[in-house]
Amino acid sequence: MATATDFVYDFTQGSKDMKDLLGGKGANLAEMTRLGLPVPPGFTITTEACRAYLANGKEPAELRVQVTAALRHLEDAVDRRLGDRHDPLLVSVRSGAKFSMPGMMETVLNIGLNDASVVGLAEAAGSERFAWDSYRRLVQMFGKTVMGVDGDRFAETLDKAKAAKGVTSDVDLDVDDLRVLVDTYKQILRDETGRDFPQHPREQLDLAIRAVFDSWNTDRARLYRRRERIPHDLGTAVNICTMVFGNLGETSGTGVAFTRDPATGTPGAYGDYLSNAQGEDVVAGIRNTLSLDDLRDLQPEAHTELMQVMRRLETHYRDLCDIEFTIERGKLWMLQTRVGKRTAAAAFRIASQLVDEHLITEDEALERVTGAQLAQLMFPQFDVAADRRLLVKGMAASPGAAVGRAVFDSATAVEWAARGEQVLLIRKETNPDDLEGMIAATGILTSRGGKTSHAAVVARGMGKTCVCGAEELDVDVAAKICRTADLVIRQGDLLSIDGSTGEIFLGEVPVVPSPVVTYLENGLDAALGDADEDTAALISAVDRLLAHADDVRRLRVRANADTAEDAERARHLGAEGIGLTRTEHMFLGDRRVLIERVILSEGPERQEALDALLPLQREDFLHLLEAMDGLPVTIRLLDPPLHEFLPNYTELSVRVAVAHAEGRHEAKDLSLLAAVERLHESNPMLGLRGVRLGLVVPGLFGLQVRAITEAAVERVKAGGNPLVEIMVPLVGSVMELHLVADETDGIVHEISRREGVNLHIPIGTMIELPRAALTAHRIAEVAEFFSFGTNDLTQTTWGFSRDDVEAEFFAAYLEKGVFTVSPFETLDAAGVGRLVEIAATEGRATRPDLKLGVCGEHGGDPESVHFFHRAGLDYVSCSPFRVPVARLEAGRAAIASAGVISDTR
């Protein structure tokens, strides 16, 4: 038996549970060997050997000795010698990391062929053409993979040979053509590298092993790992496997198969096959493939055995299996199996099917699907078969497909939408004043900003398609145009944007609506009404797994909603309350002048503005409480950076200067400018906002508390059951909360006594400052609940300006490995998460019944939901569109905490 210090394991020594050491491919080859399936003999060099090589720049001293021992054992098992002149043993050298990285690392086939052994192979196989075809493949792959020659040099030479022969397929080249190709390939190697193709078989093997190790750190492999969030320090295993040949004539071939359709989840074997070919031919697409049904007609016995093996593997792995196989003169050989990658739709269907077939439990079915996959199913998508002209590409900020006419300001978007036009709102960047236009638009496109910019956050909250940071677009709002390097887009021109890819297309691209959203918003019966068989199966699978997630989850799921319409939609999507109502959006438009007066005025003028706002605010809250009757509604008191509710300082300064130059004296503007100058801030996000504004501006928070309380009273009198909660933003000191709570309690008590209605309105706070988290034991003396505002908590913990850093240096941080993902997308568990854990633990030490939630964007992020479950929070709150995602992931988190869910990348 192999020991823990061995760098080499025979296929007979491993199992599927050894992926850390043997990589996915090696572990599964060992598992198939253990099952008695027809696997060519071989051995695996471990990931430990790769890590040692990468760390030291050379192989461990023991590795060469261990490879020699394993190779001799292999030679004895097959009674052939590597590269022998008579019936030579040939091997393949393939990469195989723990997590599948298809096409990212290297493979070399036919190691052991040289000028002498090619003759022996021809004699043993009875086919000179086969032997020389195998030799030219080795020189080509070895030259590209091991010696670093541009692969196009070989491909162009092959194309010229076919053209000279007057044929289009490799198989139409005869043995003389292939001999010439081998010589030409060797000359290319000599010209490009100054070295001859190595003739010693062991030198070929050693160089190929080293090339696979090196391929772990190629640019494409590192980029793939960053995208898939695979750690860079795992290394790859190397699999040395006896060659079996699919290019030995018409009774030979190679193929790739799946135990179910990986695109749709439809039951039944699915795959591609090529006669007289080697494995890379299928992937390269050099010839049109045949189906598995065609294989049944060509080789019924091999097909029958393949179907039996596939069924056995799916039963053994209890999941969709992806299989590579070769048939050598009628004999089936299995070269690889793994749990197959699949589309989002296939994931849900297959998980449900396997439950019905009693291969997995419903808990395990939740392991097989993710919130990210559900999100993919919810967004409309462009028809990929349609003609499309790509204009530019930006950042995929909010998924979906949107088509509309370009407009460049909010008012035009509202006006055109009102007359029935589909519009895309194009801005350099958006701000709260653009909200009406964003609501009216089918999609939003900005030339600046990132995934946590205003445009992105608001768009995701509304379920709107959004592309941000399209820097190749020069947006000129005044001229109502945007330019690319060679094109001008004018207001009214038709565009299509893909929020899942960041692509922007000229003209209209047809979209395919999502039936999953129809189901989520209208119920199962409505969605199944006109659905075809595949769609009905998908919707039923989603319904089943979401229902099970709801049954097993501990975390409740609320929504962030600012309007009654948002609240109603969230409730349809399964929200169990509102975790965050932002009240600042309620003061835009016609009300902005009133809030300006509240902030800038004093005495009677301020009170008049407050009195005018009270019935408007009360009406806002009344509609919200009606929509969410019987469910908790957490309303955050006003929390804007101050500059958002003041006149623009630059515009006001220009206006005053122009009036002065023209000899006019605008007393009102001069007074206003003086007030704005007095309140001007260098960093508004850390200035007079949140609780600070409420304490400094008399009556502001009192207005909102009064409106909330009166709305709740009205609902009670109408027979409703309002469960409203008041949340104080940006608290850093318990004294701040004491002051607001005292004022709030007084107003609630006054109105309750006056109206004869007994109300209890809990008062809590957002934890969005590190000091709040670190003094949570004090703040919990007053707060009845904490809601973690993880957007600002991330910003203040990292010292980031959220609106700037993504565009400025996040790409470099991701490239250099500082981040694996933006901390504004997925919670930084080690830093920000630590503050959440401290606040949760110490807050509950003071107040054991303290309710804990999160209302930042992280509340709908799948990975973050798992963290919040582990941290003991009671609920997450997210945008309405992400509620189903959070429900699913909360269920998965509950199962994961019981030790069921594993990493299935």
Side-chain angles (χ1 to χ4, degrees), residues 92-204:
S92 63
V93 179
R94 297 174 182 263
S95 62
K98 176 182 179 180
F99 300 117
S100 177
M101 295 172 56
M104 294 301 108
M105 292 181 293
E106 303 298 358
T107 292
V108 184
L109 306 181
N110 305 325
I111 290 289
L113 276 177
N114 54 29
D115 293 347
S117 62
V118 68
V119 177
L121 180 65
E123 291 174 355
S127 172
E128 281 192 290
R129 189 201 175 282
F130 152 72
W132 284 94
D133 180 50
S134 299
Y135 196 12
R136 71 94 185 166
R137 290 171 185 269
L138 169 61
V139 179
Q140 180 174 353
M141 296 181 79
F142 196 93
K144 177 177 179 291
T145 298
V146 179
M147 301 180 75
V149 177
D150 185 349
D152 288 342
R153 291 291 310 274
F154 302 111
E156 290 165 2
T157 302
L158 178 59
D159 289 341
K160 287 178 182 177
K162 289 188 287 187
K165 185 82 171 180
V167 299
T168 58
S169 175
D170 300 2
V171 297
D172 294 321
L173 297 176
D174 62 25
V175 64
D176 293 328
D177 301 321
L178 294 169
R179 282 195 182 99
V180 172
L181 264 180
V182 169
D183 289 339
T184 306
Y185 282 1
K186 287 180 182 177
Q187 188 60 49
I188 290 172
L189 286 182
R190 203 172 296 118
D191 294 342
E192 293 288 332
T193 69
R195 297 168 54 198
D196 288 326
F197 174 76
Q199 292 293 305
H200 197 290
R202 182 59 192 267
E203 183 184 3
Q204 293 176 11

Side-chain angles (χ1 to χ4, degrees), residues 614 617-626 635 704-718 722 724 751 759 761:
L614 178 60
Q617 277 273 270
R618 182 171 57 237
E619 195 72 9
D620 293 331
F621 299 139
L622 181 61
H623 292 316
L624 199 64
L625 295 177
E626 285 175 345
I635 298 174
Q704 293 195 290
V705 171
R706 188 170 297 277
I708 290 167
T709 307
E710 290 179 355
V713 166
E714 190 168 336
R715 283 299 303 146
V716 170
K717 289 183 174 181
V724 67
I751 295 172
L759 279 181
I761 299 181

Side-chain angles (χ1 to χ4, degrees), residues 402-421:
V403 179
R405 299 197 178 277
V407 298
F408 293 88
D409 63 82
S410 183
T412 305
V414 173
E415 178 189 343
W416 286 28
R419 70 188 193 207
E421 293 274 10

